[in-house]
Amino acid sequence: MRGAVLVAVAAAIGNYLQGWDNATIAGAVLYIKREFALESQPAVEGLVVAMSLIGATIITTFSGPVSDLVGRRPMLIASSLLYFAGGLIMLWSPNVYVLLLARLVDGFGVGLAVTLVPVYISETSPPEIRGRLNTLPQFTGSGGMFMSYCMIFAMTLSPSPNWRIMLGVLFVPSLLYLFVTVFYLPESPRWLVSKGRMKEARVVLEMLRGREDVSGEMALLVEGLGTGGDTEIEDYVVGPSEGDAGENEQARDTVTLYGPEQGLSWVAQPVAGGRGSMLGSSLGLQASRHGSMYEQMKDPVVALLGSVHERLPESGGGATGSMRGSTLFPNLGSMLSVNDRPGGSSWDEENVQPGDDDLDEEEEEYLSDDGKDDDDGGGLQAPLLSRQSTDVETKNEPASGQVAMQRHSSIGGGGVETASTMGIGGGWQLAWKWTENVGPDGVKRGAVKRMYLHEESEAAPGGDAGGAGAGDAPSTAYVHAAALVSRSMLYTKDVLIGQSPTEPAFANPPEAVAAAASTGPAWRELLEPGVRHALFCGVTIQILQQFSGINGVLYYTPQILDQAGVSVLLASLGLSGDSTSILISGLTTLLMLPSIGVAMRLMDASGRRALLLWTLPVLVASLAVLVVANVVPMAATAHAALSTGSVIVYFCCFVMGFGPIPNILCAEIFPTRVRGLCIAICSLTFWLGDIAVTYSLPVMLSSVGLAGVFSFYAAVCCVALVFVALKVPETKGLPLEVIIEFFNVGAKAGTLPDEEFH
């Protein structure tokens, strides 16, 4: 995982610069208003501080769609250039108008970094540590604030502090950010796949994962290109097949799952009614309105993902959510080929069926690995679902690569469905199955469906599979598995029975990937039920985060602590008022860093939802104590202790939960093709909320006072707690593509009666 970690650390430098900028303007504005005589022009003074927010808001409007068009990496490079240019202009700034321009340019860089760094880290990180790595921006941002406060505090000790150096020194760390974005950061592999650039995506994934076998994740990225909401939940009881599936009579509706080793396979019997698994039961509970009022009010996505995390196999649970030790899939992460190739031979020209000799140059490039000839051993192994694996032509003799496959299945006739599987992380397996349906025109057609399988529990040995085909194996436990099933993006066309199906998009990207890329992110896709459902969750949690009080507490920390007597104590050490204010802010920021470290440790263990549910009540309690300290008369010592302790607890809990998690969630819950567009909408909400809170503070203070402001923030935190409990799902350890499918299912569950789910 070292490659993914280093890339995340490098990308998070953008948030380090944001934190640095936030702290420097807080200190420099004390001297800016003196030089430009802004004491009598509070509007201009406020504009100097807020111009960065305005720039971030403006650039966020365009950043998402543009990043979907040109890529994540070019936008991060643009962010570093804007930081650099803004720093140089601030270093010069002969008058307040040039300073305003510099702050606007700097705000453009801030907006790009805050919007796209979480997206980039989510798209490059493995699911097991994605939460931990996506907490890095919060850590580096707070670290940047602390380092900047240290620099400003040292400068305030000089007789004549120079605010231009305070602000302009930003260009120095921005050079480091520019260097790593240009020479080190790769493009997001998910974005590359969405544009049909499969070869580049494979190279990036190999670097990020530190291994050469990334075929499974490549397939997952292709399957994640769709945004449709046709996903259904199906339940299976799975066990080892008895001997050769092709030589034993299987039930007509049996699905065959093939293992990574020659001759190893499993058979799966669908469970009638779709209610045997925790997923099906949770979905049914939501539809039938049974259970407690809390269960009825809970969002279907919350219930579904909650059931997944509750029933993780003991050997594979915990922070990683992997399935090591799984009785169903013992070789996690292996590429399980549908072709049982004799001797394990790799894909080569001898495996190509007659009639495929006219492959064009582009197609051959994707059929080979790194462009090497098959003769030198660099050939890509058989495509995920090779041309042979779903060939239903029965009139001709099968090609050599097809013989072994037909030993294990009856795709060529007989009605038994077949599938290939592989581990994709987070306790999930990716599988495909061949289905046959009769259309409205009476013509029988075949299609490939994609399945995300999740092991839930062990069934009784030897027979609870309900005729799954291996009832004579009493020593082996059958496994209950739930599946999210939808149309495959690898195979996009139905075929008539008796005709050869289309080639998989993984082997021939123009088939589906390039077609999807050519359409671009359309606004109409935001109306898809699953995307719309996710947008509601993302936008709402961003609004609640901004109105939870972080800006009010942050901006008024010196005033709060001064009333508590802390500032007076520090001033008695011989520090000026400016130095005391900066030192207090710096010490407060320093206390955040260990708290963020704890959050990084827990983000993939306890999970995002659990952290929010534990920290939000503490935020409410700390704000309530601040209200009491400002309303109830008490001794000076008690007042100082309550106020100081409440501020510290508030900050520490905020950076553990409500600080980083909204951005992490928003980077996880949207489909690849519209992720940039959706994250831009959420980020725009973030910046508009930031501006609204910042400019409403003086009005609220004059009307209801500090105690009234904190009471309002406490009420918002209570609303946020209810919203998280009912609407925010747990996403730890799950592949991004699986999370998206749950939102598709949840949106469907909220609109259809129970009997129409399956």
Side-chain angles (χ1 to χ4, degrees):
M1 302 296 183
R2 185 176 63 177
V5 172
L6 293 179
V7 163
V9 171
I13 296 176
N15 294 78
Y16 178 90
L17 298 179
Q18 179 219 1
W20 182 284
D21 175 73
N22 288 345
T24 53
I25 191 61
V29 72
L30 300 173
Y31 306 98
I32 292 173
K33 63 181 182 181
R34 294 171 190 169
E35 178 174 335
F36 295 129
L38 300 181
E39 288 88 348
S40 59
Q41 304 179 63
V44 178
E45 177 188 347
L47 198 58
V48 169
V49 177
M51 189 58 75
S52 178
L53 296 179
I54 296 172
T57 304
I58 294 173
I59 199 68
T60 297
T61 307
F62 310 100
S63 62
V66 174
S67 73
D68 283 336
L69 181 64
V70 304
R72 320 306 192 208
R73 179 174 175 269
M75 301 301 284
L76 294 180
I77 293 175
S79 174
S80 65
L81 290 172
L82 290 167
Y83 274 128
F84 180 72
L88 287 181
I89 300 174
M90 285 188 289
L91 187 62
W92 171 49
S93 295
N95 54 57
V96 71
Y97 302 106
V98 175
L99 177 60
L100 289 174
L101 174 63
R103 295 288 297 159
L104 182 67
V105 173
D106 177 61
F108 290 158
V110 169
L112 290 179
V114 171
T115 302
L116 296 175
V117 167
V119 175
Y120 180 83
I121 293 177
S122 288
E123 293 186 342
T124 56
S125 302
E128 291 82 3
I129 58 172
R130 187 178 60 241
R132 183 178 306 178
L133 295 185
N134 234 337
T135 313
L136 278 173
Q138 182 79 37
F139 185 85
T140 57
S142 297
M145 291 179 66
F146 174 70
M147 296 301 295
S148 180
Y149 278 130
C150 290
M151 178 199 70
I152 296 171
F153 175 73
M155 295 182 68
T156 59
L157 299 178
S158 66
S160 55
N162 190 324
W163 64 264
R164 289 179 175 83
I165 295 179
M166 289 182 186
L167 295 177
V169 76
L170 176 71
F171 86 91
V172 177
S174 68
L175 281 177
L176 173 62
Y177 189 39
L178 177 62
F179 178 83
V180 298
T181 53
V182 172
F183 296 105
Y184 182 71
L185 287 187
E187 183 53 86
S188 161
R190 281 181 166 83
W191 183 86
L192 290 171
V193 167
S194 73
K195 298 302 178 183
R197 295 159 63 175
M198 311 291 284
K199 185 176 180 181
E200 296 174 60
R202 175 179 289 274
V203 172
V204 172
L205 274 177
E206 289 175 353
M207 184 274 288
L208 293 174
R209 303 297 181 254
R211 63 176 188 270
E212 295 183 1
D213 181 14
V214 293
S215 299
E217 193 165 356
M218 286 290 294
L220 176 67
L221 302 193
V222 176
E223 290 290 4
L225 292 179
T227 58
D230 61 343
T231 307
E232 296 181 350
I233 293 179
E234 297 179 1
D235 299 329
Y236 294 92
V237 175
V238 185
S241 114
E242 181 185 358
D244 223 344
E247 299 172 0
N248 292 277
E249 288 297 325
Q250 304 284 352
R252 184 173 180 81
D253 56 353
T254 294
V255 177
T256 303
L257 307 176
Y258 285 89
E261 301 175 8
Q262 184 171 357
L264 180 62
S265 62
W266 295 269
V267 291
Q269 178 71 36
V271 177
R275 290 290 183 268
S277 69
M278 284 294 292
L279 295 186
S281 300
S282 299
L283 198 62
L285 182 64
Q286 292 293 317
S288 61
R289 298 294 184 260
H290 294 319
S292 65
M293 180 177 297
Y294 171 67
E295 293 296 333
Q296 296 175 26
M297 295 175 63
K298 191 187 299 183
D299 191 286
V301 182
V302 176
L304 290 170
L305 284 174
S307 68
V308 170
H309 293 291
E310 289 171 5
R311 296 297 295 271
L312 279 174
E314 183 177 352
S315 58
T320 64
S322 63
M323 292 181 65
R324 293 182 292 271
S326 164
T327 54
L328 173 58
F329 306 112
N331 295 297
L332 175 65
S334 298
M335 174 61 197
L336 314 189
S337 173
V338 283
N339 278 5
D340 184 13
R341 295 182 301 277
S345 61
S346 62
W347 176 268
D348 54 34
E349 294 179 354
E350 293 179 357
N351 296 114
V352 180
Q353 285 186 336
D356 289 331
D357 297 330
D358 57 346
L359 292 176
D360 57 32
E361 181 178 349
E362 180 183 30
E363 190 172 338
E364 289 181 336
E365 179 183 26
Y366 286 99
L367 286 173
S368 62
D369 191 9
D370 298 329
K372 298 178 182 179
D373 295 331
D374 292 326
D375 295 335
D376 62 9
L380 179 67
Q381 292 194 351
L384 304 177
L385 284 176
S386 70
R387 279 163 278 213
Q388 295 84 356
S389 66
T390 57
D391 194 348
V392 294
E393 179 66 61
T394 58
K395 298 179 181 178
N396 301 325
E397 284 292 316
S400 59
Q402 193 177 2
V403 174
M405 177 62 193
Q406 289 194 340
R407 277 206 325 266
H408 291 287
S409 71
S410 54
I411 271 188
V416 178
E417 295 180 340
T418 64
S420 67
T421 70
M422 75 187 107
I424 55 176
W428 291 85
Q429 303 286 325
L430 177 58
W432 296 269
K433 68 175 182 178
W434 174 264
T435 61
E436 298 176 0
N437 298 296
V438 178
D441 55 0
V443 179
K444 193 174 185 180
R445 292 179 173 86
V448 174
K449 284 197 172 184
R450 185 264 303 134
M451 306 165 65
Y452 294 137
L453 284 165
H454 180 266
E455 179 184 346
E456 294 201 331
S457 61
E458 293 186 7
D464 274 356
D472 297 329
S475 61
T476 305
Y478 285 85
V479 173
H480 195 176
L484 298 173
V485 182
S486 65
R487 183 67 184 269
S488 173
M489 288 295 293
L490 288 169
Y491 285 86
T492 58
K493 296 180 181 179
D494 292 341
V495 296
L496 298 177
I497 299 303
Q499 293 183 351
S500 297
T502 181
E503 296 168 2
F506 187 75
N508 186 17
E511 181 67 33
V513 184
S518 64
T519 62
W523 283 94
R524 59 181 175 81
E525 294 189 20
L526 299 183
L527 301 178
E528 291 284 347
V531 179
R532 191 171 65 244
H533 196 165
L535 264 177
F536 170 76
C537 179
V539 168
T540 304
I541 198 170
Q542 291 285 9
I543 293 174
L544 292 172
Q545 183 210 48
Q546 283 305 301
F547 283 90
S548 66
I550 182 60
N551 289 322
V553 179
L554 185 63
Y555 295 157
Y556 284 88
T557 294
Q559 178 180 333
I560 296 169
L561 298 184
D562 181 63
Q563 293 177 1
V566 177
S567 298
V568 176
L569 176 62
L570 295 177
S572 66
L573 300 177
L575 299 177
S576 66
D578 294 341
S579 298
T580 300
S581 176
I582 297 299
L583 180 59
I584 291 173
S585 299
L587 292 175
T588 304
T589 305
L590 177 62
L591 293 173
M592 296 181 185
L593 297 179
S595 300
I596 301 173
V598 173
M600 292 178 67
R601 176 66 182 86
L602 297 177
M603 197 65 69
D604 292 309
S606 299
R608 294 82 154 127
R609 175 180 165 85
L611 277 175
L612 287 174
L613 292 176
W614 279 102
T615 56
L616 278 171
V618 182
L619 294 183
V620 174
S622 61
L623 289 169
V625 171
L626 281 175
V627 172
V628 172
N630 282 274
V631 173
V632 179
M634 61 182 67
T637 304
H639 183 270
L642 284 177
S643 298
T644 305
S646 297
V647 169
I648 293 174
V649 170
Y650 178 90
F651 278 131
C652 291
C653 285
F654 187 88
V655 297
M656 287 180 63
F658 221 13
I661 291 177
N663 284 339
I664 294 176
L665 282 173
C666 290
E668 293 178 331
I669 60 179
F670 301 115
T672 299
R673 291 192 56 233
V674 293
R675 183 172 291 123
L677 180 60
C678 293
I679 200 72
I681 294 174
C682 294
S683 296
L684 184 61
T685 304
F686 169 88
W687 291 115
L688 291 175
D690 193 353
I691 293 173
V693 170
T694 301
Y695 280 93
S696 66
L697 268 175
V699 177
M700 294 179 66
L701 284 170
S702 63
S703 59
V704 298
L706 199 59
V709 170
F710 290 151
S711 298
F712 173 77
Y713 291 155
V716 173
C717 288
C718 290
V719 175
L721 180 62
V722 175
F723 179 78
V724 170
L726 297 178
K727 298 293 184 181
V728 176
E730 182 56 74
T731 59
K732 67 172 182 177
L734 298 174
L736 297 181
E737 290 72 17
V738 173
I739 297 172
I740 294 158
E741 294 298 342
F742 273 107
F743 274 92
N744 288 334
V745 174
K748 183 178 179 182
T751 57
L752 296 178
D754 180 46
E755 61 270 11
E756 295 185 31
F757 285 147
H758 297 275

